[in-house]
């Protein structure tokens, strides 16, 4: 467990979150090292998506600290956090359905003002996601799920983020696209973007992640290098809620 | 033939004016899922600013338009910043109610500043008409068409090519996702309110010039027409709002051509109800859209109701019952009689809006049905007044439920729009159905209240009678809420899908709530008719519906005791402080705003 971990880019420490009376997170602590892919695993209602919302400032924790690149994110609005260099691929893509594919991708560059560089980046996205080239003028809502996922990833990259948070990037995709998406995440990561992803599909996520955390009803029950966790029987137990639920 | 072309031109011109209002509503709805009931007030403000500019400052026309647009935009920005932004995290109904409060305040401020008397707003354009085909067209028609087209073009360019325009579109399609792209939703809201207000203000000025008259009644009409056009086009759909507006203008214009002027609004609201029932998402709704309402019960502010011990209620009731035995003035009794009548209406509304979650904005229609039924029964059929009042209650229960039933499948804000429209329809039918309702003349000489042959004429007897009726209704409603029926009502309010999954028939329970509520409101209207001895189609108007809603929110939605307390407070306090009548509406508006902001659960808490 004591790797010579690089300096953390993102750190959540002792985060407690509530929805009304119900507590969602119990002293949640997660770090994402610079340049790493970290995945957060967990079953339904374990608090995975809320973790993402906490990072993005969509939900405010009651206590605890969230810091990015050494500076606290607590109290910042979502747009401010995005401007710090965090982009997101939300759950179920959440494209702007009535806007064109081109407009959707360019919306990702909303925080930027360098027009020429934005145009260059758009071209770069089309080499990274060649399929989107023919779809640029099409309504984003008319694309297939896999294509929408490509648009969502291109959109996230357009802000030139230092980190991308992804909520179940493989959800609802055909197996072919699942592999493609995982490969793209690797590619993105190789270019220096740290990735924090929330996943239900543990075996897939562990294939590409450097570290992983397992969340169960708001508590981290397991964490460590992905390679080590891959064969850990406790992963399965954590998912099924222990022997009782199984 | 020629006249048809004229009616078409007129319809398109009026439609253009509606479009300026409706586009603003659509932009706001798109971004905040909010129907801005203050839109008509901005239109009113625009008309009066135009009047000041033209008549007092003698500005040339282009400058007048700019002055109106800028001033109205500033009003819009103020509304957004201070009226709505603080409510971002409150219950869904809060911003809607706030815009209603804001519209009361703005309308009243205009009225207090400029007096309610109509004013002429000269158009500064030469009064000539050109022959076009078989019809004629004047410079003002061209101006309105020009302003409409220019605004549409500018708006298109803004939405399509500016960064802020993209942000507006993105936020209206997926607010959270837009925030994750770095869009500051507050700025988007600001932009949208500013644009909507500028368009609305200019629209009001143009209408004032078109009819060469402005008055404070314009506000509500404009809101209603704009909402109709917007919903017909598909809430939140900007091009849809334009088409809906033109359609509405044409339908009205042809309707007027065939049936006469007093039918104009009837067509507008019938069009709305038909669209709501057949295509609730409007004629041009996009296929995929985020659901406009949350599926679970966040519509009503959750709270723990204040428990008042039974003995305290009994003591209070006894106190009020014995009050006439003490030397109190006629004036006090009169005020409290008004409070009891309003209390009955509030009981009805608190059941429907609070317990059942159907926030009705047309509750005065139930009063009107009860009042007309009771008045006509006693006048034309010589039914004893006591029975006639009950007849009014029953008619209100039956007819009210029947009229509202098409909207049972609607949710949230749409229920409010539908009930508002149905309320207007009732009033317009009363106006136009002369053979029965005597039309605009109204009904006079309604016999006084009587019970078992004894006329109730003294204030004391009327006081006791109305108080007793209210208390009986309140006790019945209390029983109802404690029964399984009451639980079913609340279950449907809190989560209609879950309620349905448990086998509750929404239509049946909504009908039951409206039947009971309709009866209470109808009885209140019936008693009022016999007290006033004269009623017409305007006696029970939207202002009363909103007052009832304010009472209900003040008391706590769904709270029976709260409804009565709210009625006493809102009717009584202005009397106690001797507030001049013209300031009262202003105060109601402010009360509503403060409640929504600081105590959405009301005085006694929601139930």
């Amino acid at each position: 467990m004591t790797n010579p971990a690089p300096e953390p880019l993102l750190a959540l420490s002792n985060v407690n979150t509530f929805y009304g009376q119900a507590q969602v997170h119990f002293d949640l602590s997660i770090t994402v090292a610079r340049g790493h892919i970290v995945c957060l695993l967990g079953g339904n209602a374990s608090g995975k998506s809320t973790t993402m919302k906490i990072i993005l400032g969509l939900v405010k924790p009651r206590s605890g600290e969230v810091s990015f690149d050494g500076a606290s994110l607590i109290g910042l609005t979502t747009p401010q956090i995005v401007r710090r260099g965090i982009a997101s691929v939300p759950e179920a893509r959440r494209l702007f359905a009535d806007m064109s594919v081109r407009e959707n991708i360019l919306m990702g560059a909303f925080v930027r003002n360098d027009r020429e560089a934005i145009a260059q980046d758009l071209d770069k996205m089309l080499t990274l996601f060649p399929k989107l080239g023919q779809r640029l003028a099409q309504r984003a809502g008319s694309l297939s799920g896999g294509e929408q996922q490509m648009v969502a990833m291109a959109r996230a990259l357009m802000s030139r983020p230092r980190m991308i948070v992804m909520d179940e990037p493989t959800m609802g995709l055909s197996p072919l696209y699942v592999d493609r998406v995982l490969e793209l995440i690797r590619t993105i990561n190789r270019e220096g973007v740290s990735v924090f992803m929330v996943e239900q599909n543990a075996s897939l996520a562990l294939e590409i992640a450097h570290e992983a955390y397992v969340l169960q009803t708001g508590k981290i029950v397991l964490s460590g290098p992905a390679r080590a966790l891959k064969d850990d029987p406790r992963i399965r137990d954590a998912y099924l809620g222990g022997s009782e639920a199984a | 033939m020629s006249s048809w072309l004229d009616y078409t031109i007129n319809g398109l011109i009026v439609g253009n004016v509606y479009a300026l209002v409706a586009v603003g509503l659509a932009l706001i709805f798109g971004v905040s899922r909010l129907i801005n009931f203050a839109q008509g007030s901005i239109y009113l403000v625009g008309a009066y600013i135009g009047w000041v500019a033209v008549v007092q400052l003698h500005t040339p026309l282009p400058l007048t338009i700019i002055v109106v647009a800028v001033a109205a935009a500033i009003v819009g920005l103020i509304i957004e910043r201070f009226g709505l932004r603080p409510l971002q995290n409150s219950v869904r109904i809060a911003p809607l109610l706030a815009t209603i409060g804001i519209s009361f305040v703005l309308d009243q401020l205009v009225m207090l500043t400029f007096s309610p008397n109509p004013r002429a707003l000269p158009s500064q354009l030469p009064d000539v008409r050109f022959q076009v085909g078989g019809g004629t067209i004047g410079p003002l028609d061209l101006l309105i068409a020009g302003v409409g087209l220019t605004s549409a073009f500018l708006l298109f360019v803004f939405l399509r090519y500016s960064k802020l325009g993209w942000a507006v579109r993105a936020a209206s399609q997926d607010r959270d996702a837009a925030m994750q792209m770095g869009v500051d939703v507050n700025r988007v809201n600001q932009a949208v309110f500013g644009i909507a207000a500028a368009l609305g203000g200019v629209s009001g000025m143009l209408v004032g010039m078109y009819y060469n008259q402005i008055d404070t009644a314009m506000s509500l009409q404009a809101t209603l027409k704009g909402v109709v056009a917007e919903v017909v086009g598909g809430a939140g759909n900007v091009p849809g709002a334009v088409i809906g507006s033109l359609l509405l203008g044409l339908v009205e214009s042809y309707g007027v051509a065939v049936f006469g002027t007093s039918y104009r609004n009837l067509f507008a609201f019938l069009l709305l109800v038909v669209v709501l029932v057949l295509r609730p998402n409007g004629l041009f709704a996009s296929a995929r859209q985020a659901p406009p309402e949350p599926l679970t019960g966040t519509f009503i502010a959750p709270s723990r109701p204040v428990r008042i011990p039974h003995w305290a209620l009994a003591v209070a009731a006894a106190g009020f019952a014995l009050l006439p035995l003490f030397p109190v003035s006629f004036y006090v009794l009169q005020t409290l009689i008004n409070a009891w009548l309003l209390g009955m209406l509030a009981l009805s509304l608190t059941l429907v809006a609070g317990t059942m979650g159907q926030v009705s904005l047309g509750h005065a229609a139930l009063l009107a049905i009860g009042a007309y039924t009771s008045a006509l029964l006693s006048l034309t059929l010589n039914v004893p007044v006591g029975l006639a009042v009950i007849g009014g209650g029953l008619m209100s229960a039956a007819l009210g439920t029947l009229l509202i039933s098409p909207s049972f499948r609607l949710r949230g804000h749409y229920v409010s729009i539908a009930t508002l429209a149905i309320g207007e329809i009732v009033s317009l039918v009363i106006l136009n159905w002369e053979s029965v309702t005597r039309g605009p003349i109204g009904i006079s000489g309604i016999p006084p209240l009587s019970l078992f042959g004894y006329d109730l004429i003294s204030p004391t007897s009327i006081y006791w009678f109305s108080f007793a009726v209210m208390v009986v209704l309140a006790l019945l409603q209390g029983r109802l809420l404690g029964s399984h029926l009451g639980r079913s009502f609340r279950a449907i309010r809190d989560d209609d899908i879950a309620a349905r999954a448990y086998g509750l028939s929404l239509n049946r329970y909504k009908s039951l709530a409206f039947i009971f509520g309709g009866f209470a409101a109808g009885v209140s209207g019936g008693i009022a008719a016999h007290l006033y001895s004269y009623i017409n189609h305007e006696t029970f108007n939207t202002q009363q519906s909103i007052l009832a809603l304010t009472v209900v929110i003040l008391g706590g939605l769904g709270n029976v005791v709260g409804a009565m307390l709210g009625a006493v407070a809102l009717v009584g306090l202005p009397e106690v402080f001797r507030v001049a009548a013209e300031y009262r509406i202003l105060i109601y508006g402010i009360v509503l705003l403060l409640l929504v902001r600081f105590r959405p659960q009301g005085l006694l808490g929601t139930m």
Side-chain angles (χ1 to χ4, degrees), chain A residues 106-209:
Chain A
L106 288 174
M107 268 311 288
F110 189 80
V111 293
R112 295 169 58 186
N113 286 313
D114 44 345
R115 289 191 135 204
E116 275 142 47
I118 291 175
Q120 282 168 18
D121 281 3
L122 178 62
D123 290 339
K124 211 175 126 194
M125 289 311 137
L126 297 182
T127 43
L128 200 56
F129 308 95
K131 255 199 152 174
L132 298 182
Q134 307 128 37
R135 301 262 189 249
L136 280 181
Q138 216 167 310
R139 258 186 83 243
S142 69
L143 300 188
S144 74
E147 290 169 330
Q148 289 196 14
Q149 189 66 45
M150 302 293 145
V151 177
M153 290 172 78
R155 186 176 68 171
L157 285 169
M158 283 300 285
S159 65
R160 288 197 177 168
R162 285 187 284 168
M163 186 173 105
I164 299 187
V165 293
M166 302 187 183
D167 198 344
E168 309 218 11
T170 63
M171 189 176 71
L173 298 186
S174 67
L176 204 69
Y177 267 114
V178 168
D179 289 346
R180 178 105 184 81
V181 164
L182 294 179
E183 192 44 51
L184 279 164
I185 294 174
R186 267 203 191 116
T187 313
I188 291 167
N189 178 247
R190 269 199 296 272
E191 295 191 2
V193 181
S194 308
V195 174
F196 176 74
M197 58 190 274
V198 157
E199 257 297 349
Q200 283 216 30
N201 192 332
S203 55
L204 285 178
L206 289 173
E207 251 170 56
I208 61 163

Side-chain angles (χ1 to χ4, degrees), chain A residues 88 94 98 103 110 112, chain B residues 163 169 173-174 180 183:
Chain A
S88 68
R94 305 281 290 265
D98 288 331
E103 287 174 327
F110 189 80
R112 295 169 58 186
Chain B
K163 202 165 174 178
R169 285 163 64 211
Q173 285 170 49
D174 193 327
Q180 292 175 40
V183 171

Side-chain angles (χ1 to χ4, degrees), chain B residues 438-484:
Chain B
R438 305 182 192 177
I441 302 158
I443 300 179
S444 51
I446 304 168
L449 281 173
S450 71
L451 210 54
F452 309 117
Y454 296 98
D455 283 353
L456 306 179
I457 293 175
S458 74
T460 315
S461 58
I462 297 171
Y463 175 93
W464 270 324
F465 177 72
S466 49
F467 182 64
V469 171
M470 182 188 72
V471 168
V472 169
L473 287 171
L475 289 173
L476 278 174
Q477 193 160 326
R479 283 294 298 271
L480 186 79
L481 296 186
S483 72
H484 88 98

Side-chain angles (χ1 to χ4, degrees), chain B residues 90-260:
Chain B
S90 19
V91 287
R92 293 268 307 132
I93 190 76
L96 179 108
L97 295 173
T99 61
I100 292 175
I102 290 166
S103 80
F104 267 45
V105 171
L106 279 179
D107 290 359
Q108 253 3 72
L109 287 178
V110 170
M111 192 183 280
L112 291 170
T113 316
F114 294 97
S115 93
N117 300 327
R119 282 161 197 261
L121 178 53
S123 74
Q124 303 163 295
L125 288 170
D127 190 17
V128 289
R129 298 201 67 86
F130 313 108
Q131 290 290 327
V132 178
T136 66
I137 196 163
L140 193 55
D141 296 326
L142 295 174
L143 173 70
I144 292 174
V147 169
L149 289 173
T150 312
S151 315
F153 175 72
L154 290 178
L155 198 59
F156 174 81
V157 170
F158 166 73
L159 289 176
R160 183 68 55 168
Y161 298 107
S162 77
K163 202 165 174 178
L164 190 54
W166 281 39
V168 168
R169 285 163 64 211
S172 65
Q173 285 170 49
D174 193 327
R175 196 188 169 97
D176 276 3
M179 283 165 70
Q180 292 175 40
M181 299 301 120
V183 171
D184 180 347
V185 178
N186 284 334
R187 272 200 65 209
V188 168
N189 267 331
Q190 245 170 15
V192 158
F193 265 88
I195 293 169
L199 294 176
V202 170
S203 173
M205 180 205 74
L206 290 173
V207 169
M209 290 180 175
Y210 193 65
Y211 295 110
N212 193 18
Q213 180 182 322
I214 55 175
D215 64 62
T216 44
M218 290 165 68
S219 164
L220 181 67
Q221 285 304 320
T223 302
L224 293 175
K225 293 302 171 57
V227 168
V228 173
E230 193 226 346
V231 173
V232 167
N237 181 336
V238 173
V242 174
I243 298 173
S245 303
L246 296 177
L247 190 66
L248 176 62
L250 286 175
V251 166
E252 278 188 14
S253 191
Y254 293 141
V256 169
V258 177
F259 296 96

Side-chain angles (χ1 to χ4, degrees), chain B residues 17 83 152 320 338 436 509 569:
Chain B
V17 168
F320 277 115
N338 287 337
V436 173
Y509 285 99

